Amino acid sequence: MAASSNSSLSGSSVSSDPEDYQPPIWKSYLYRLQQEAPRPKRMTCPQEMDTRPKYYGREFGHQTLNYRLFYDGKHFVGEKRFETVHDLVTDGLITLYIETKAAEYIAKMTTNPIYEHLGYTSLLKDKMGHRLSRRRTEPHRVTFQREDRKITTSPLVRHSTLKDCPSEKQSSYDKIHNFKVHTFRGPHWCEYCANFMWGLIAQGVHCSDCGLNVHKQCSKLVPSDCQPDLRRIKKVFSCDLTTLVKAHNTTRPMVVDMCIKEIELRGLQSEGLYRVSGFSEHIEDVRLAFDRDGEKADISANVYNDINIIAGALKLYLRDLPIPVITFHVYSKFILAAKMPNPDTRLEAIHEGLLLLPPAHYETLRHLMMHLKKVTMFEKDNFMNSENLGIVFGPTLMQPPEQNALATLNDMRHQKLIIQLLIEHEDVLF
C-alpha cells in the first residue's frame, strides 16, 4: 500500500465504523534506511576491451572481480532482472545496506503484524463487502454395511431417513491468496507488518485476486482469507472455482446454477443429453456471454434453442477449470477407491475423499450429482443412465495431477466408475 507517513504504528487507532476506518500508520524505519543507502558511482575503464560484451558499458574492464553477471535481454544475478546494470547495482546496495543495518529488526518485524491488529482485517473486509457467509449442507460422515445385498447406513446419519432437516451452519470458504512477485512504483508498505518494502523492483508480492500487498516473507504468514475483488476477476471461464464463488458471494459458480436450471427446465428428456454435442461456435458464444455479462448472460431458449449448446457450455466450464472439481490432491484417493473390490469399502473411501474437497468444490459436485441423478430418472427418454454419464463426466471432473497420456488412458474406467457411483449414491455420499 502506498503511503508517505514517517510516524510509528503506536499512535494509530481503530474506528468502530467501517466507513470511518483509516488504516494504521506505516512504519518508516526501513524507508529511511533506503534513503541513506549508498548509491553506485560509475567508473569508466580508460581502455576499450575487445572482449567486453556489447550490452555492457565501458565501466567493465579487466579488473572486474568477485561477482558474475548474466544477461538474457535484462541484467540479473538472481531472481531480479534489471533494464540497466546501474539499476542492478543500486538495488544490490540498497538490499545489502538495509539487511546489514537492520538484520535484527527484519527478523522480528512479523511478530506484531497490523494484519491482526484489533479490527483491522474485519473492518476493512466489511467495508469492501467481500465477506462470504452462506448456508450450505454440512457434509455428513457415514458408514456403509451390506444387508440383504443392499447398501444401508445408520439411520442417525443417512439424511433420507432423518425426521429433521439436515443440520446447516453458517460457513465461510477459506481461500489462499494468489501471490505473485510484483514491482511497486513509488514507496509501498507491507499490509501485513506495516513496514516499508525496500528495493527498486520485485519489492514484495501482490495478490492478483484481492490486491493485498505484502513482503515475500510475510506472505507465508498471511491467513487463507483472500476476499476476491470482482473488479480483478477478468473472466468467468478458466477462473479458479473458489475465487469465482467468493468474488460473486455465492456457494457455487453461477455458470453451474444457470446451466443446470435451464437444462432441467427444458432438456431432461432430450435424447443423448450431455453425450450429443452442440455447435462449438454457439458454445463459444455462451462462454463469451458469461465472461462478458456474468449472471446477466442470456442462455434462454430465445437465444439458444438447442439445449445441447447449454449442456456443452457447462461441460466446457467444468473442463477448463484450472483446478478440477475433484481436485488434484484427492485424485489418487478416488482412483484407489475405484479399484477396491468390496462395494462397501469402496463407498466409504469415496465418502472420505469427498470430505477432503474444498467447500466450493464439494458444493459444486454435490449440486451437479443431484442434477445428474434427475437426468437418469428420464433415461427412457434421454437414454442416459449413470454409466453413460460417468463416461461423459469422468474426464471432465477428474484430471490426474501429471498429464501422462498412458496413465490418463488407464484411469478412464476408474473415473467413469467414480462418477457413476456418485450419481447412484448421491443421497448417501453427500
Side-chain angles (χ1 to χ4, degrees), residues 190-210:
C190 174
E191 294 175 54
Y192 182 80
C193 71
N195 281 287
F196 178 68
M197 293 192 282
W198 64 90
L200 293 187
I201 68 169
Q203 303 97 326
V205 294
H206 170 83
C207 178
S208 59
D209 293 336
C210 71

Side-chain angles (χ1 to χ4, degrees), residues 166-202:
S167 63
E168 292 185 347
K169 70 175 186 177
Q170 295 284 54
S171 175
S172 294
Y173 291 179
D174 289 341
K175 179 189 178 303
I176 62 174
H177 290 268
N178 187 18
F179 285 126
K180 296 179 181 177
V181 175
H182 190 77
T183 294
F184 300 97
R185 303 302 178 189
H188 269 70
W189 272 254
C190 174
E191 294 175 54
Y192 182 80
C193 71
N195 281 287
F196 178 68
M197 293 192 282
W198 64 90
L200 293 187
I201 68 169

Side-chain angles (χ1 to χ4, degrees), residues 127-392:
K127 183 177 179 181
M128 297 302 292
H130 294 314
R131 175 63 67 187
L132 173 65
S133 183
R134 293 290 190 185
R135 299 175 68 86
R136 74 176 180 88
T137 303
E138 183 70 8
H140 293 284
R141 188 174 297 277
V142 300
T143 56
F144 300 84
Q145 59 188 22
R146 180 69 61 173
E147 180 181 308
D148 296 331
R149 302 187 63 79
K150 181 180 179 180
I151 294 291
T152 62
T153 64
S154 167
L156 295 176
V157 292
R158 179 166 180 169
H159 67 255
S160 61
T161 61
L162 287 173
K163 293 183 180 180
D164 300 322
C165 295
S167 63
E168 292 185 347
K169 70 175 186 177
Q170 295 284 54
S171 175
S172 294
Y173 291 179
D174 289 341
K175 179 189 178 303
I176 62 174
H177 290 268
N178 187 18
F179 285 126
K180 296 179 181 177
V181 175
H182 190 77
T183 294
F184 300 97
R185 303 302 178 189
H188 269 70
W189 272 254
C190 174
E191 294 175 54
Y192 182 80
C193 71
N195 281 287
F196 178 68
M197 293 192 282
W198 64 90
L200 293 187
I201 68 169
Q203 303 97 326
V205 294
H206 170 83
C207 178
S208 59
D209 293 336
C210 71
L212 185 69
N213 302 318
V214 296
H215 291 111
K216 187 175 182 180
Q217 60 266 45
C218 291
S219 67
K220 301 172 184 177
L221 304 174
V222 175
S224 298
D225 60 354
C226 178
Q227 303 293 321
D229 187 341
L230 265 178
R231 294 171 297 179
R232 300 177 184 274
I233 307 300
K234 304 301 182 184
K235 56 185 178 180
V236 172
F237 277 60
S238 301
C239 176
D240 172 65
L241 197 155
T242 301
T243 299
L244 188 68
V245 300
K246 293 204 73 170
H248 286 270
N249 204 26
T250 58
T251 54
R252 294 178 299 273
M254 96 284 283
V255 178
V256 174
D257 281 353
M258 291 175 63
C259 288
I260 286 178
K261 181 179 180 180
E262 195 67 27
I263 291 167
E264 292 186 354
L265 179 67
R266 58 187 174 97
L268 289 176
Q269 295 176 299
S270 177
E271 182 176 339
L273 181 63
Y274 289 117
R275 188 184 68 239
V276 176
S277 299
F279 288 110
S280 59
E281 295 87 354
H282 294 164
I283 293 174
E284 178 66 13
D285 287 343
V286 175
R287 183 188 71 80
L288 292 174
F290 275 115
D291 283 344
R292 181 183 63 249
D293 304 325
E295 59 189 12
K296 295 181 180 179
D298 186 358
I299 58 172
S300 66
N302 295 331
V303 182
Y304 303 103
N305 184 57
D306 183 4
I307 198 62
N308 294 311
I309 295 172
I310 308 303
L314 176 58
K315 289 190 295 181
L316 176 64
Y317 170 77
L318 296 170
R319 187 167 59 248
D320 281 358
L321 287 171
I323 301 176
V325 176
I326 295 179
T327 57
F328 293 127
H329 83 282
V330 298
Y331 177 86
S332 60
K333 296 182 184 298
F334 280 90
I335 295 299
L336 290 174
K339 296 178 180 179
M340 293 179 178
N342 184 281
D344 302 339
T345 305
R346 183 192 301 143
L347 286 181
E348 287 180 358
I350 292 173
H351 179 68
E352 291 297 321
L354 291 173
L355 296 177
L356 298 175
L357 289 174
H361 288 248
Y362 177 92
E363 273 299 311
T364 301
L365 186 61
R366 181 183 70 85
H367 192 64
L368 181 62
M369 293 303 110
M370 290 175 63
H371 164 66
L372 295 181
K373 186 70 171 284
K374 290 182 182 178
V375 173
T376 63
M377 294 177 182
F378 292 83
E379 181 186 352
K380 62 181 180 63
D381 299 308
N382 59 38
F383 302 106
M384 295 300 289
N385 57 28
S386 59
E387 182 177 4
N388 293 335
L389 291 169
I391 294 172
V392 172

Side-chain angles (χ1 to χ4, degrees), residues 21-125:
Y21 174 70
Q22 296 296 325
I25 299 172
W26 312 110
K27 304 173 185 178
S28 61
Y29 175 56
L30 297 180
Y31 176 75
R32 293 198 304 268
L33 286 183
Q34 173 159 314
Q35 297 301 103
E36 297 170 3
R39 296 297 186 261
K41 180 179 179 182
R42 176 172 174 151
M43 299 184 67
T44 304
C45 180
Q47 59 184 13
E48 189 67 37
M49 302 298 299
D50 296 334
T51 58
R52 174 177 60 84
K54 61 182 180 180
Y55 41 80
Y56 289 142
R58 290 192 59 193
E59 65 269 25
F60 284 81
H62 65 283
Q63 294 298 320
T64 302
L65 301 173
N66 300 327
Y67 57 89
R68 181 178 297 174
L69 293 172
F70 299 91
Y71 183 83
D72 62 356
K74 291 188 176 182
H75 307 279
F76 65 100
V77 292
E79 294 180 354
K80 294 184 177 182
R81 282 168 162 73
F82 299 83
E83 295 290 346
T84 67
V85 173
H86 184 275
D87 287 346
L88 183 151
V89 178
T90 302
D91 185 83
L93 288 173
I94 290 172
T95 301
L96 181 63
Y97 186 79
I98 289 179
E99 293 183 356
T100 300
K101 285 272 189 177
E104 185 176 351
Y105 181 88
I106 292 172
K108 295 179 178 179
M109 69 182 185
T110 61
T111 56
N112 185 28
I114 62 164
Y115 199 81
E116 297 175 2
H117 195 266
L118 180 62
Y120 174 68
T121 51
S122 60
L123 286 174
L124 183 58
K125 289 166 186 172

